Amino acid sequence: MASAEDDLIARYFRPLATHAGALGLIDDAAILAASGEDIVVTTDAIVEGVHFLPDDPPETLARKALRVNLSDLAAKGATPAGFVLTLALRDINEAWLAPFAQALGEDAAAFGCPLLGGDTVSTPGPLMISVTIFGKLPTGTMVRRDGAKPGDIIAVTGTIGDAALGLACLKGKKLLDDASACEALIARYRTPQPRNALAEAVRTHASAAMDISDGLAGDLAKLCAASKVSATVEASAIPLSDQARRILSSGTAGIEMLIAGGDDYEVLCTVPENRWAAFREAAGRVAVAVAGIGRVQKGNTAPVFLDVSGMPIAMKRLSYSHF
Amino acid sequence: MASAEDDLIARYFRPLATHAGALGLIDDAAILAASGEDIVVTTDAIVEGVHFLPDDPPETLARKALRVNLSDLAAKGATPAGFVLTLALRDINEAWLAPFAQALGEDAAAFGCPLLGGDTVSTPGPLMISVTIFGKLPTGTMVRRDGAKPGDIIAVTGTIGDAALGLACLKGKKLLDDASACEALIARYRTPQPRNALAEAVRTHASAAMDISDGLAGDLAKLCAASKVSATVEASAIPLSDQARRILSSGTAGIEMLIAGGDDYEVLCTVPENRWAAFREAAGRVAVAVAGIGRVQKGNTAPVFLDVSGMPIAMKRLSYSHF
């Protein structure tokens, strides 16, 4: 009597619905109780052939779909509260669904972000995974894009550009003669590391923040535009992985590929100078690497990236666009 | 400098983001403030070639994508609070986007349900529109699927089966020699009429409720399974439109097509007998037609639909499945 969709939900996704408000996924809706906090809502979808490759494994797809959304919550200063999942599938393939749901459940548990509900639809086209995520924070404390002030220090977490290099590796570009280095970059593309541990520090100290999904250069330009400011960035201060440094030295890729590529899912934020020491200390306590890379400037021009000699780096494009 | 996606958002969707928490869509996230109420969350996606036809007009697609979600809120007894939209597009086609956004904005205003945020992604495949919607209601008052008790009256709103007949018309099935009757049925398929006006009456009087999206028979079976009960329905009591009655009389379609077809987006609920008069009166006050069609029964078998002679109607399937 139960439909194929009901079976699929019962078998694979009910175990992930650990939140009381999910009602075990037997209802049409979930309940999110809020006791005076603000609920932060954001949504991001990934599409086969656009945001991931057809042979990416189901485990990493599950993690990526959730983590690109967790990354938004981290940048907004919010604590994860739960998510709903829309899955567009060509068919019901147990060999794909079982590891997908398993990995999704592991991440949901690890990040304290339970499945609240969802919709599974049939599609004749590419696989698509859409997540809408909810976070909580004290009323009025969400860190917005539009609060950067001239003089603020521009900071990023982790290292920049690895995912773009990983994608280039997956597409067959010969960047390094070192298979394990390529594997490390591919892992950064397939499995982002959202910086949710940093959320409280961002909320406490940052004047503006967003996560980097379309490339540092383009996303900083968006933050500056929202804040009605400009910025200068010292390219040499941008934190890079060993692999990225070696690729830059070898000349198989340039800095533009790293800062205008996508999929970093690091936090980009601006911190007032008098908060910088406290921010760094708070980041240290949660073991998230942060680096100051430049300054917010007055003006309304696009951010300028300076090379070691202080000259602006010319870029053909600031960010990745799928259209 | 702005990407094609940014332009698209600014031009078509920013005017719809009338809620302060949407932050004019310039941020990565929206804020949903909750002052002690429960927030009800539900999500439904529609896919080209599966839930709608490639030549369905953009205006009706916009309305359908939002309304299938509004219908869930109505059945849960919740007041609309806002929605996020994920749009997977093959290309940026202004001739399609302009009327889509216009109609979506009209519905958002009419139902008091502003756009809070979203994601626009490129896809090589079919158009897909996914909505996650939020409603509010007093803590603990969401009407669930699992509260039906033996003896409760089973009620539905509006008329049943028109959308399934409309879809058959669109697919070229000759049901009636009357173009305007077909047009009326097609309009029911393309533009559902969610019963949000009834939400308070449902919340006040119903013991269980859900909206009918996959067919009355199958959805009643789901409600019964969740409530651990069975049901009997008098097929003759099921409210039908004039067009549906004429088709049944002419014999070009049978009752199974009406009650096992999909896309009704009417409310199905169960009401304790001692609440029935008050429920009908409350429905009358908001001008939503409700009809009692049967009774909840003890047991765990699938609901039985009885013909005028009191004999069970044999059905090959209870509901529509896309897989």
Side-chain angles (χ1 to χ4, degrees), chain A:
Chain A
M1 195 184 78
S3 72
E5 186 188 349
D6 295 334
D7 282 342
L8 178 162
I9 291 166
R11 198 180 305 180
Y12 296 112
F13 295 111
R14 192 156 298 150
L16 280 57
T18 54
H19 188 288
L23 305 175
L25 304 185
I26 66 152
D27 215 292
D28 315 80
I31 301 164
L32 208 56
S35 45
E37 310 112 314
D38 278 349
I39 293 181
V40 173
V41 182
T42 181
T43 187
D44 261 319
I46 60 175
V47 179
E48 180 182 14
V50 181
H51 305 86
F52 62 89
L53 302 174
D55 54 357
D56 279 348
E59 293 88 346
T60 65
L61 292 183
R63 295 187 199 281
K64 185 162 187 168
L66 186 58
R67 290 178 181 203
V68 302
N69 283 279
L70 283 162
S71 175
D72 278 312
L73 292 186
K76 301 289 103 182
T79 305
F83 70 104
V84 298
L85 172 73
T86 297
L87 206 49
L89 302 172
R90 267 185 299 269
D91 50 28
I92 294 181
N93 173 355
E94 315 247 329
W96 187 91
L97 274 165
F100 178 87
Q102 168 84 26
L104 191 66
E106 286 169 8
D107 260 16
F111 289 94
C113 194
L115 179 67
L116 292 175
D119 192 20
T120 309
V121 294
S122 164
T123 178
L127 174 62
M128 175 164 161
I129 311 165
S130 173
V131 166
T132 301
I133 201 166
F134 310 102
K136 293 186 179 185
L137 41 68
T139 303
T141 63
M142 189 181 96
V143 185
R144 297 165 55 158
R145 278 191 192 179
D146 61 359
K149 295 276 178 293
D152 287 354
I153 293 169
I154 300 166
V156 296
T157 57
T159 56
I160 299 298
D162 299 322
L165 297 172
L167 177 59
C169 292
L170 277 172
K171 287 184 167 171
K173 201 162 156 60
K174 209 75 196 144
L175 295 173
L176 271 184
D177 277 329
D178 174 349
S180 76
C182 293
E183 281 307 310
L185 295 169
I186 290 169
R188 290 273 289 160
Y189 171 72
R190 284 184 169 157
T191 317
Q193 302 296 329
R195 306 303 178 182
N196 296 80
L198 196 70
E200 193 185 336
V202 172
R203 195 170 72 233
T204 308
H205 301 293
S207 54
M210 63 188 293
D211 74 330
I212 308 174
S213 57
D214 294 333
L216 170 61
D219 285 341
L220 178 58
K222 286 179 196 169
L223 187 148
C224 285
S227 297
K228 299 186 171 62
V229 294
S230 187
T232 48
V233 173
E234 308 285 336
S236 61
I238 297 171
L240 301 179
S241 67
D242 289 347
Q243 295 86 354
R245 280 191 195 288
R246 283 160 53 201
I247 289 169
L248 276 191
S249 309
S250 74
T252 50
I255 184 78
E256 181 177 343
M257 186 167 174
L258 278 70
I259 60 179
D263 285 303
D264 289 303
Y265 301 105
E266 298 290 352
V267 173
L268 166 68
C269 63
T270 59
V271 179
E273 190 162 7
N274 63 5
R275 296 281 202 146
W276 179 244
F279 175 69
R280 291 202 62 164
E281 201 179 290
R285 278 199 299 273
V286 294
V288 174
V290 296
I293 61 170
R295 290 274 186 172
V296 177
Q297 308 287 351
K298 279 186 196 159
N300 55 15
T301 52
V304 177
F305 286 73
L306 303 170
D307 67 17
V308 281
S309 65
M311 294 296 291
I313 299 171
M315 284 191 284
K316 282 193 285 292
R317 57 177 189 128
L318 290 178
S319 67
Y320 190 78
S321 173
H322 293 296
F323 280 105

